Amino acid sequence: MKKGGRVTLRESIRKEERKEKGRDKTKKRVKELDSFKGFLIFLVVLGHFLLPLSDSPYPLFNRSFYLIYSFHMPAFLFLSGYFAYGKWKKRGTSFRSLFSYLLLYILMKFMLHRADILFYDVHTTWPDFFHESSTPWYLLVLFFLELTLLPMEIFRRKKTGEQVISFYFLCLILLSIPLSFMKIGEEWKDFLASDRILGFAPFFYLGMLAKLGDFSFQKIHRTPFVLGFCFTLIIILFLPKLLPYTRVFYGTWGYRIEGEAILPFFKKHPTLIRIAFIPFSLCIAYFFYGLLIFLRQKKESIQPEITSRGSQIYFGMERVFQDRETFLMKMGHYSMPIYVFHRPFRDAFFAGGLEQPFWHEGIPFWLILLFYIFLLLLSLLLLFVLGRKTLDNLFRFRFTG
């Protein structure tokens, strides 16, 4: 065989090996979790479109907003911890990953500051990099929470290391709750997103504990699913009474929770609100995750009819299910560029005050529903435009395929 032929054959073999490795890697990932992560990033985008309408008198807007905010970022931090632990266990602390969080944070600050100048009449020259309560906080939280894994590096490969690491995570969870109610919070406020770090730390470490304990996500556990359904109904039906307690949804300092019109008992024991919020939000997240699994199982259980017409219907339905699942998985893989770039589009969309008519009563329901559907479709469009492998590789400093 000629040299050129041998090179071609060798290259084809290597290509097949790379494909096989890619298939093995895909098999190791839980497809349902990737799909759920894609669903969550969709809720992040939709939630930001609903934010200007959160005080709207129309339940479709405000119920949707508060329901999304009750679980979407806690679930996101939970999954971030779940996936981060697997990577950390294999390779240790990735300083390249930590550095990328800081660079993306700076990029987002510059980008959103430009949007503020264009759309919100802000006149400052430079963004404030040391205080953050807007969208970029998530990147700072990931940076600092992953940095807390450094003390556990010496136990990462030891046989008894998992017990020590589990104890360490539990201690951090227990510490974060009272620390988030420190009086210093009134001085620090959103300094380096410290309020969000402490407010959402339990979810990140619980995700790591779930990975460490091999929690099964491929079957539906009835108790958290049913509780999540009940909690969802509570938000939808009793939101006006719950509004004073929704401050905890944002991961704020404890003094801001204490300042709300909550019951005297919770004024004396405000930490109970944060403690109760952990299972409350995770059960709601699990309810929606369970719905995704249910739809997946329903697709697999559908059998084609004997007639050709029935077969056409079956394969059409199967294609729809597969397209939806593939799209969500892809968005789950490429959630970072979506998160970083979506906010300026929201700011530009509402710059003309399109939300203002919906602050007042008297609008017909069909128009409310039409605008809501439009926001849903616009959110999906942004996912499609921004969920790109090239952007994701750039953000993760992967410049080769």
Side-chain angles (χ1 to χ4, degrees):
M1 187 179 291
K2 294 181 181 180
K3 185 177 180 180
R6 288 197 298 270
V7 172
T8 303
L9 179 60
R10 190 181 298 115
E11 287 177 349
S12 64
I13 293 173
R14 287 176 179 173
K15 187 176 181 180
E16 287 300 318
E17 289 176 348
R18 285 196 297 270
K19 284 183 179 179
E20 192 63 36
K21 287 180 181 178
R23 283 192 289 267
D24 291 341
K25 185 178 179 181
T26 304
K27 288 177 183 177
K28 291 178 182 178
R29 295 180 69 95
V30 181
K31 290 182 178 180
E32 291 84 358
L33 286 183
D34 285 325
S35 297
F36 189 56
K37 196 176 178 184
F39 174 67
L40 289 175
I41 195 62
F42 165 70
L43 292 183
V44 168
V45 178
L46 177 61
H48 282 145
F49 274 105
L50 291 173
L51 180 59
L53 299 162
S54 59
D55 295 326
S56 169
Y58 303 105
L60 186 61
F61 294 128
N62 55 45
R63 261 65 170 185
S64 296
F65 172 80
Y66 283 103
L67 179 59
I68 289 171
Y69 270 68
S70 71
F71 77 93
H72 77 316
M73 290 315 295
F76 228 108
L77 265 298
F78 181 92
L79 287 183
S80 296
Y82 182 89
F83 289 119
Y85 182 80
K87 296 176 184 176
W88 175 78
K89 184 67 175 175
K90 291 178 181 178
R91 300 189 291 269
T93 302
S94 172
F95 290 97
R96 186 178 72 170
S97 178
L98 293 174
F99 183 61
S100 70
Y101 292 146
L102 290 182
L103 284 183
L104 289 177
Y105 172 74
I106 294 171
L107 171 64
M108 278 197 80
K109 290 292 286 187
F110 271 117
M111 188 168 52
L112 294 183
H113 186 65
R114 291 292 102 188
D116 289 341
I117 292 173
L118 287 172
F119 307 123
Y120 298 112
D121 201 28
V122 172
H123 300 291
T124 55
T125 306
W126 294 94
D128 183 357
F129 292 105
F130 295 100
H131 295 86
E132 185 50 55
S133 59
S134 187
T135 315
W137 67 261
Y138 174 68
L139 297 165
L140 275 184
V141 168
L142 288 182
F143 172 80
F144 284 111
L145 291 182
E146 289 193 17
L147 203 59
T148 61
L149 297 176
L150 279 174
M152 292 294 101
E153 286 287 344
I154 57 175
F155 300 103
R156 187 166 56 88
R157 295 192 177 278
K158 291 186 178 181
K159 292 182 179 179
T160 58
E162 289 190 353
Q163 295 177 354
V164 177
I165 294 170
S166 298
F167 180 74
Y168 177 69
F169 290 158
L170 287 172
C171 288
L172 290 178
I173 292 171
L174 294 174
L175 278 173
S176 66
I177 296 172
L179 287 177
S180 68
F181 285 86
M182 291 190 305
K183 293 298 181 183
I184 199 172
E186 297 181 26
E187 298 178 16
W188 284 11
K189 298 187 184 299
D190 57 359
F191 177 69
L192 293 179
S194 52
D195 51 347
R196 300 311 208 283
I197 293 170
L198 294 172
F200 288 111
F203 301 100
F204 182 81
Y205 295 124
L206 284 172
M208 289 199 152
L209 287 172
K211 181 67 174 180
L212 194 154
D214 292 325
F215 181 82
S216 174
F217 287 96
Q218 294 177 303
K219 63 178 182 179
I220 301 175
H221 301 271
R222 183 174 298 178
T223 300
F225 181 82
V226 173
L227 285 174
F229 173 70
C230 294
F231 294 154
T232 299
L233 286 180
I234 287 173
I235 290 179
I236 294 172
L237 297 175
F238 304 106
L239 178 63
K241 294 186 180 295
L242 292 174
L243 279 177
Y245 302 90
T246 58
R247 182 67 65 181
V248 73
F249 292 178
Y250 307 99
T252 59
W253 283 106
Y255 78 88
R256 299 190 67 185
I257 299 173
E258 295 169 336
E260 297 291 333
I262 57 179
L263 291 173
F265 174 79
F266 291 113
K267 288 275 189 182
K268 293 182 180 179
H269 310 284
T271 54
L272 293 179
I273 297 176
R274 180 146 279 159
I275 292 170
F277 177 61
I278 296 172
F280 180 83
S281 60
L282 289 181
C283 284
I284 294 176
Y286 193 79
F287 167 67
F288 285 97
Y289 173 72
L291 288 180
L292 284 180
I293 294 183
F294 174 78
L295 291 174
R296 179 184 175 87
Q297 292 174 347
K298 194 72 175 176
K299 179 204 74 172
E300 294 173 351
S301 65
I302 295 175
Q303 298 296 328
E305 300 290 337
I306 298 176
T307 63
S308 58
R309 177 64 176 167
S311 297
Q312 290 177 1
I313 294 174
Y314 167 74
F315 288 114
M317 291 176 64
E318 185 180 43
R319 178 65 182 272
V320 170
F321 277 118
Q322 286 177 346
D323 290 346
R324 171 192 57 79
E325 187 176 45
T326 303
F327 178 76
L328 286 178
M329 286 180 62
K330 181 182 176 182
M331 296 305 104
H333 281 302
Y334 304 145
S335 59
M336 188 60 80
I338 298 170
Y339 188 86
V340 170
F341 280 124
H342 78 278
R343 260 290 305 279
F345 290 92
R346 192 286 306 265
D347 296 338
F349 178 77
F350 284 118
L354 291 176
E355 78 284 4
Q356 294 179 10
F358 298 93
W359 292 346
H360 309 287
E361 296 180 356
I363 297 178
F365 178 74
W366 69 266
L367 188 58
I368 295 168
L369 183 61
L370 185 64
F371 189 63
Y372 189 84
I373 293 172
F374 179 75
L375 293 180
L376 288 173
L377 295 175
L378 187 58
S379 301
L380 287 171
L381 177 63
L382 277 180
L383 260 66
F384 178 78
V385 171
L386 300 176
R388 300 291 168 179
K389 184 177 181 180
T390 50
L391 285 174
D392 189 68
N393 285 342
L394 178 65
F395 285 175
R396 300 178 190 280
F397 294 91
R398 293 194 296 260
F399 300 108
T400 58

